[in-house]
Each structure stands twice: as structure tokens, then as C-alpha cells.
Amino acid sequence: MEYRNLIGGDWVACGTARANVNPSDVADIIGHAAQAGEEELDAAIAAAHAAAPIWAASTPQQRFDALDFTGAELLARKEELGRLLSREEGKTLAEGIGEVARAGQIFKFFAGEALRQTGDRLASVRPGVEIEVTRTPVGVVGLITPWNFPIAIPAWKIAPALAHGNAVVLKPADLVPGCAYALVEILSRAGLPAGVVNLVMGRGSELGPRLVSDARVNAISFTGSVPTGRGIAAACGAAMKKVQLEMGGKNPMVVLDDADLDLAVAACLNGAFFTTGQRCTASSRLIVTEGVHDRFVAALTAAMRGLRVGDALDPATQMGPVVDARQLEQNLDYVEIARSEGGAVTGGERLALDKDGFYMTPALITETTPDMRINREEVFGPVASVLRVRDYDEALAVANDTEFGLSAGICTTSLKHASHFKANARVGMVMVNLPTAGVDYHVPFGGTKGSSHGAREQGAYAAEFYTTVKTAYTLP
Ligand code: NAD
């Protein structure tokens, strides 16, 4: 399979192509992705720039129809595309199919948003003058996405961009071109004018800065790592360009003595290890009060050891491989760092299976302290640490002792502690008796501190980023 770039409505083959490797079986080459260079990127931006006013003038019905078509096809093909997703990214088949369904639901939601126009008509303080406050499209939006949700994240950026009348240039992550291509291929048949959606695959370090700095691009929405995000923020700041960043996390899950232990173990197993821990909302710091600590660690260790690691496409697999060799090495390095800092390690070993893939066992690191690197830096793999604390007050202080602020959870049967935690956890999303990962598609998503910057993504709040507010005064 050859994935081409979509530029101004044409599928463009480029001089070079990059192999798309299955992380469950490196002998399986899924396809080859055309690698755009400077010239192709320039053409894609020009196409979006030309198409933006056309799409800005589209009716709510046209926007609804294109988004609804895309959502319906994603939902109808969720098994097929979920298989592709699991094959190229490595999450389990159930997780892959679930993610494609999520992308479909996102398009359906934003189809509705295209019809739910909002605005205000107000009286002026001056006699006879009328005021209207409306939302207008931003123009051309550059979308830069990571590999870990290869169809849902492009979906939750493209769908609101189109619903609010913008043209887009999507630069997906190098490791997952198949999903980006599949999504854009559906969009190319959705009735959108040529140039409204453009796909450019290629090296992020080359294409990314050009996309960000091009004066024809009015806004950038980025999801990825903190260092890349910081660079983008600086460039957008210098150009006074609208920017939205979703980055890393070091998400705490607090377990109190009064928690339902089975529920807490299930929430931590899910939050820490499902999707191979490759979620920005993964629970990587498990903060446990001393009365339940030992029973919790014993139960979670048993549950973790029971997880079946294997080929993402095997229906029996509960944890797929790590996405690539570099991420696997980083995960194993962090396990060693934690050990050298005095942590007690269970699991966290390289795993050799029948097929040559990037497999490791999930890791739980106990006897850790808040100052250890394992509790301060994002690993982005199936590696969780446990911190023993005296009581709720210390748990909250440790939970907030981080430069990140994406998601935080608490397992407790105390309404008092749950309410206090919801109010005082310094994060964008709080979960009570639920895993830190796993969010709905119709409500805002995002964090605080070093995790996020700019307006929220998703739900009705997405309008903040994808539109500009205009105030019109009329003397009739
Ligand atoms: P990354 O920062 O390496 O890459 C993200 C995207 O940026 C890719 O498309 C990449 O090609 C591109 N890129 C690379 N260099 C660039 C540059 N100089 N300028 C512009 N773009 C450039 O991140 P990744 O490894 O793909 O993803 C993992 C990271 O993403 C983790 O840190 C994770 O926490 C984060 N993440 C955050 C969220 C969230 O919503 N907060 C969601 C998913 C993933």
C-alpha cells in the first residue's frame, strides 16, 4: 500500500517514501508513506489558503453533510480501520476499534456543532445602535499530531476546524501514516471543496517549523511532547499566531484507605497499563495511603502479572507492544533509573515472543519518593510508580507536586475527600473512582501547567480556538 499526500484535492506521490512498520512484527511492512518536502508543503499551504474563504462561506448544511458522511463511514468501517490502527500503532484490537469508533462519534458530534450556531444580539449603550457578536473562522489551521491516537487526535482537530469553517493542513506523526491517510481519504470523498483538507506526511523536524512559521497559516493546533510544544509556542508567539498545545503528563491516581480496593486496582491497572501506557492521561504515579498500601500493591502486582502481552492483532492480547525501538529503549532506561534511585521493581523486562516486536512486561515500581526522576518525568510507557503517603492531605500535596497538570484521579468512598480533591487537584480533568485515562468526546479536554497551553480542545469549547469573535455595530 502506498499512502500519498493530499494537496489541493490531488493525491501526490513524492520522491521518497517511508516504510510503515508493524510494532508487533517488524517483518510486516504495512505500506509506504510518501514523504513531502518543502515544495509539497508550500503547495498544501497555498491550496488551503485558496480554499479557506470558499469553506468559510459554506452553509451549516454543507458542513454538517461533510462531517456526518465522514463520521458515518468511520463508524461503518471501525473493524477494518481498527485493525489497521492496531497493526501500525500496536494497541490491542479492542482499543483500535474503539478508537476508530471514537473518531466517528467526534465527527458526528461536530456535524451537529456546525448546525448549532451561536451568537449574541445586544443593545448598544448608544441610542439606535445595534450590536451583534458572532464567531468567524480563523482561516488556515496547521494541525500537528502524535502517534499514540493516530485517528482520534487528527479527528478531534479536523472535525471542529471544518465545523467552524476553516481549511486545514494535517502533518501526522511519522510512525502512523496509515491511519492519517485512511481518515483523509474518507474526507476527500465527503463533498469538501478541493484544498479544504490537505495531508502532508514527512519529517516533523523539517515540515513542522515551516508549517508553524508560514504567514499563510493563521493558527496551529499541536499535540505531542513538551520540548516540541515549547518550540512551537515560541515560534507562534514571535509571529503572534494563535496556538493550542496538548503535551505531556505525570498523572497521579490517589488511593485512600477507604477506597473500594477492587475498583481501585481495576482503575489503576487500566490507567497505568492499557494502551501500553502510551496515553498522555495514563496514571503514572499511584499515591496510596499507608493503611491500604501493602494490600493495594499485592493486588495490583497480581493483576499486572496476569496481563497478557502479545501481538496487537491477537484477540487474546491485553497489552500490545511499545510503538517503536526508541520508545522501548526509553521505557527500559527509566526502569533502570528508578532501580538505581532505590525503587523496588516488578516487571519492566524486554520480552521475546514468536514474532520480532517491541515487547516488554508492564512495570510497577514501589518504595519511591516524590523527588525521584521516575516521579517527575514522563515515561510514556507501561511503567507506573507507587508512592506511600500518610493521609489524604499528604496525598493531595504529592499529587500536585509536578510540573504537569493534565488529569488526576482519586479512589475513595469519602464524599468529603472526593469533593475536596475535585476542587484542589491542579489539573484540567479530575476523575473520582475512574481511571485517569478515558474521556468523553462531547466535553472539553485539556490540562493546566506544563501539560497544556491555549484554549481547550473538544466539545462546544473547541469554538474558542477554531473561531475568532467579531463584534459588529450597526446604525440602521
Ligand atoms: P513529538 O513531539 O515527538 O511529535 C509530535 C508531532 O510533532 C509529530 O507529528 C512530529 O512529527 C511533529 N514534530 C516533530 N518535531 C517538530 C518540530 N520541530 N516542529 C513542529 N512539529 C514537529 O511527540 P510524539 O512522540 O509523537 O508523541 C508523544 C507525546 O505526545 C507524549 O509526550 C505525550 O504525552 C504527548 N501527547 C499528549 C496528548 C495530550 O492531549 N496532552 C495526547 C497524546 C500525546
Side-chain angles (χ1 to χ4, degrees), residues 143-149 153 156-157 171-176 202-212 220 222-229 231-232 245-251 278-281 323 326-327 330 378-380 404 406 429 445-447 451-452 457-458:
L143 309 176
I144 303 176
T145 54
W147 48 262
N148 65 328
F149 282 93
I153 293 181
W156 80 51
K157 294 185 191 300
K171 209 309 282 168
D174 301 0
L175 292 173
V176 287
R203 284 184 68 85
S205 53
E206 284 169 26
L207 299 183
R210 289 185 191 281
L211 181 62
V212 169
I220 294 288
F222 166 83
T223 301
S225 63
V226 174
T228 312
I232 291 174
L245 309 171
E246 290 298 343
M247 300 170 288
K250 194 73 208 175
N251 308 293
Q278 296 173 152
R279 291 187 283 191
C280 53
T281 47
V323 74
R326 204 179 64 164
Q327 184 67 51
Q330 179 173 313
E378 183 183 50
V379 178
F380 216 57
F404 296 109
L406 190 56
M429 297 175 292
F445 177 95
S451 291
S452 302
E457 297 203 79
Q458 302 196 58

Side-chain angles (χ1 to χ4, degrees), residues 94 130 199-200 218 248 276 279 289:
E130 295 169 357
L199 170 67
V200 284
N218 304 99
T276 321
R279 291 187 283 191
T289 46

